[in-house]
Amino acid sequence: MGYTLFIVASNLIIPIIMLFFGMKFRNHGPEKINSFYGYRTTMSKKNKDTWEFAHLYFGKLWRKIGGVLLIFSLIISVIAFLFNQEIESMICLLLLTVQMVVLIASIFPVEKALKKNFDQNGNRVKGL
């Protein structure tokens, strides 16, 4: 039973982190632009406006993705326990891989939204 709970908890770490930071950044990101905490890309760190926009967008995105990923991960975790330990381990490794790909891929829509709303110098595009 202890092994089962450990595996389920391990499978839920990434979705829970995404939900937590999604909720946190949805309202407001870190106050100051920094290189240690928050959504930190070259475009997001251009100025205060891009920094706030990126965190708001990123927060909404991670909240949605984290919720879907949490439900998906719970279902896959339950299904994985129907198999022997070797297959269960492979399923959990595959689940972790999917979670990491989704986590990293979430950067692309945020950067696309930044480029759509700001020019390369960080000024808002007129008409938006």
Tab-separated table of all heavy atoms in Angstrom, residues 11-12 14-15 18 64-74 95 98-100 102-103:
chain	number	residue	atom	x	y	z
A	11	ASN	N	3.160	10.713	-9.281
A	11	ASN	CA	2.497	11.018	-10.552
A	11	ASN	C	1.748	12.340	-10.522
A	11	ASN	O	1.437	12.893	-11.573
A	11	ASN	CB	1.520	9.903	-10.929
A	11	ASN	CG	2.214	8.632	-11.349
A	11	ASN	OD1	3.401	8.627	-11.652
A	11	ASN	ND2	1.481	7.543	-11.358
A	12	LEU	N	1.460	12.854	-9.341
A	12	LEU	CA	0.664	14.078	-9.225
A	12	LEU	C	1.488	15.329	-8.932
A	12	LEU	O	0.947	16.426	-8.907
A	12	LEU	CB	-0.412	13.896	-8.142
A	12	LEU	CG	-1.371	12.735	-8.366
A	12	LEU	CD1	-2.394	12.678	-7.246
A	12	LEU	CD2	-2.045	12.812	-9.719
A	14	ILE	N	3.826	17.076	-10.676
A	14	ILE	CA	3.876	18.089	-11.742
A	14	ILE	C	2.522	18.768	-11.930
A	14	ILE	O	2.466	20.004	-11.958
A	14	ILE	CB	4.429	17.494	-13.051
A	14	ILE	CG1	5.909	17.171	-12.863
A	14	ILE	CG2	4.228	18.457	-14.229
A	14	ILE	CD1	6.553	16.442	-14.016
A	15	PRO	N	1.410	18.019	-12.036
A	15	PRO	CA	0.123	18.719	-12.176
A	15	PRO	C	-0.204	19.631	-10.989
A	15	PRO	O	-0.738	20.726	-11.172
A	15	PRO	CB	-0.897	17.584	-12.286
A	15	PRO	CG	-0.131	16.406	-12.745
A	15	PRO	CD	1.245	16.570	-12.202
A	18	MET	N	1.809	22.759	-11.289
A	18	MET	CA	1.237	23.612	-12.340
A	18	MET	C	-0.024	24.326	-11.833
A	18	MET	O	-0.207	25.520	-12.089
A	18	MET	CB	0.935	22.790	-13.588
A	18	MET	CG	2.187	22.325	-14.308
A	18	MET	SD	1.839	21.342	-15.777
A	18	MET	CE	1.494	22.647	-16.948
A	64	LYS	N	-5.366	25.828	-16.230
A	64	LYS	CA	-6.172	24.943	-17.075
A	64	LYS	C	-5.441	23.626	-17.356
A	64	LYS	O	-6.004	22.545	-17.184
A	64	LYS	CB	-6.499	25.628	-18.403
A	64	LYS	CG	-7.466	26.775	-18.283
A	64	LYS	CD	-7.636	27.459	-19.625
A	64	LYS	CE	-8.449	28.739	-19.472
A	64	LYS	NZ	-8.484	29.490	-20.735
A	65	ILE	N	-4.204	23.723	-17.814
A	65	ILE	CA	-3.431	22.530	-18.147
A	65	ILE	C	-3.206	21.669	-16.904
A	65	ILE	O	-3.318	20.446	-16.960
A	65	ILE	CB	-2.081	22.897	-18.795
A	65	ILE	CG1	-2.299	23.533	-20.167
A	65	ILE	CG2	-1.185	21.681	-18.921
A	65	ILE	CD1	-1.031	24.087	-20.791
A	66	GLY	N	-2.887	22.310	-15.789
A	66	GLY	CA	-2.654	21.564	-14.545
A	66	GLY	C	-3.879	20.790	-14.113
A	66	GLY	O	-3.775	19.645	-13.666
A	67	GLY	N	-5.066	21.378	-14.251
A	67	GLY	CA	-6.299	20.680	-13.889
A	67	GLY	C	-6.556	19.471	-14.770
A	67	GLY	O	-6.875	18.378	-14.282
A	68	VAL	N	-6.392	19.662	-16.063
A	68	VAL	CA	-6.580	18.545	-17.006
A	68	VAL	C	-5.540	17.462	-16.760
A	68	VAL	O	-5.858	16.266	-16.714
A	68	VAL	CB	-6.521	19.047	-18.472
A	68	VAL	CG1	-6.471	17.890	-19.453
A	68	VAL	CG2	-7.693	19.963	-18.762
A	69	LEU	N	-4.294	17.873	-16.569
A	69	LEU	CA	-3.213	16.917	-16.340
A	69	LEU	C	-3.404	16.166	-15.020
A	69	LEU	O	-3.069	14.980	-14.926
A	69	LEU	CB	-1.868	17.661	-16.350
A	69	LEU	CG	-0.630	16.917	-16.782
A	69	LEU	CD1	-0.823	16.213	-18.107
A	69	LEU	CD2	0.549	17.868	-16.848
A	70	LEU	N	-3.955	16.828	-14.015
A	70	LEU	CA	-4.206	16.175	-12.728
A	70	LEU	C	-5.225	15.052	-12.888
A	70	LEU	O	-5.003	13.928	-12.433
A	70	LEU	CB	-4.691	17.196	-11.696
A	70	LEU	CG	-4.958	16.659	-10.299
A	70	LEU	CD1	-3.671	16.192	-9.649
A	70	LEU	CD2	-5.615	17.726	-9.439
A	71	ILE	N	-6.316	15.337	-13.562
A	71	ILE	CA	-7.350	14.318	-13.791
A	71	ILE	C	-6.793	13.175	-14.645
A	71	ILE	O	-6.969	11.998	-14.315
A	71	ILE	CB	-8.597	14.950	-14.446
A	71	ILE	CG1	-9.262	15.909	-13.459
A	71	ILE	CG2	-9.577	13.880	-14.914
A	71	ILE	CD1	-10.297	16.827	-14.078
A	72	PHE	N	-6.102	13.534	-15.722
A	72	PHE	CA	-5.489	12.543	-16.607
A	72	PHE	C	-4.514	11.658	-15.824
A	72	PHE	O	-4.522	10.432	-15.954
A	72	PHE	CB	-4.779	13.252	-17.766
A	72	PHE	CG	-4.010	12.348	-18.683
A	72	PHE	CD1	-4.670	11.549	-19.601
A	72	PHE	CD2	-2.620	12.303	-18.624
A	72	PHE	CE1	-3.958	10.708	-20.461
A	72	PHE	CE2	-1.903	11.475	-19.474
A	72	PHE	CZ	-2.582	10.678	-20.389
A	73	SER	N	-3.688	12.267	-14.985
A	73	SER	CA	-2.680	11.524	-14.223
A	73	SER	C	-3.319	10.595	-13.196
A	73	SER	O	-2.837	9.480	-12.975
A	73	SER	CB	-1.731	12.495	-13.519
A	73	SER	OG	-1.034	13.261	-14.475
A	74	LEU	N	-4.403	11.042	-12.572
A	74	LEU	CA	-5.118	10.172	-11.626
A	74	LEU	C	-5.677	8.944	-12.336
A	74	LEU	O	-5.540	7.824	-11.837
A	74	LEU	CB	-6.250	10.947	-10.949
A	74	LEU	CG	-5.866	11.809	-9.771
A	74	LEU	CD1	-7.021	12.726	-9.367
A	74	LEU	CD2	-5.434	10.952	-8.597
A	95	LEU	N	3.994	8.420	-18.312
A	95	LEU	CA	3.178	9.518	-17.797
A	95	LEU	C	4.057	10.710	-17.424
A	95	LEU	O	3.746	11.856	-17.772
A	95	LEU	CB	2.363	9.060	-16.585
A	95	LEU	CG	1.522	10.125	-15.891
A	95	LEU	CD1	0.504	10.727	-16.839
A	95	LEU	CD2	0.847	9.536	-14.649
A	98	VAL	N	5.144	12.470	-20.579
A	98	VAL	CA	4.054	13.288	-21.129
A	98	VAL	C	3.904	14.574	-20.321
A	98	VAL	O	3.772	15.666	-20.886
A	98	VAL	CB	2.724	12.494	-21.151
A	98	VAL	CG1	1.540	13.400	-21.440
A	98	VAL	CG2	2.804	11.360	-22.161
A	99	GLN	N	3.945	14.461	-19.004
A	99	GLN	CA	3.821	15.643	-18.141
A	99	GLN	C	4.938	16.649	-18.420
A	99	GLN	O	4.691	17.854	-18.506
A	99	GLN	CB	3.843	15.234	-16.668
A	99	GLN	CG	2.622	14.501	-16.215
A	99	GLN	CD	2.753	13.991	-14.786
A	99	GLN	OE1	3.845	13.921	-14.220
A	99	GLN	NE2	1.629	13.603	-14.200
A	100	MET	N	6.150	16.165	-18.574
A	100	MET	CA	7.286	17.061	-18.830
A	100	MET	C	7.170	17.731	-20.197
A	100	MET	O	7.472	18.915	-20.339
A	100	MET	CB	8.612	16.301	-18.719
A	100	MET	CG	8.957	15.872	-17.310
A	100	MET	SD	9.044	17.250	-16.140
A	100	MET	CE	10.393	18.182	-16.800
A	102	VAL	N	4.376	18.402	-21.795
A	102	VAL	CA	3.313	19.402	-21.665
A	102	VAL	C	3.824	20.623	-20.913
A	102	VAL	O	3.568	21.769	-21.298
A	102	VAL	CB	2.070	18.790	-20.964
A	102	VAL	CG1	1.070	19.868	-20.577
A	102	VAL	CG2	1.427	17.744	-21.853
A	103	LEU	N	4.557	20.395	-19.844
A	103	LEU	CA	5.122	21.490	-19.044
A	103	LEU	C	6.018	22.385	-19.892
A	103	LEU	O	5.867	23.610	-19.904
A	103	LEU	CB	5.911	20.899	-17.873
A	103	LEU	CG	6.552	21.887	-16.931
A	103	LEU	CD1	5.781	21.915	-15.623
A	103	LEU	CD2	7.983	21.465	-16.653
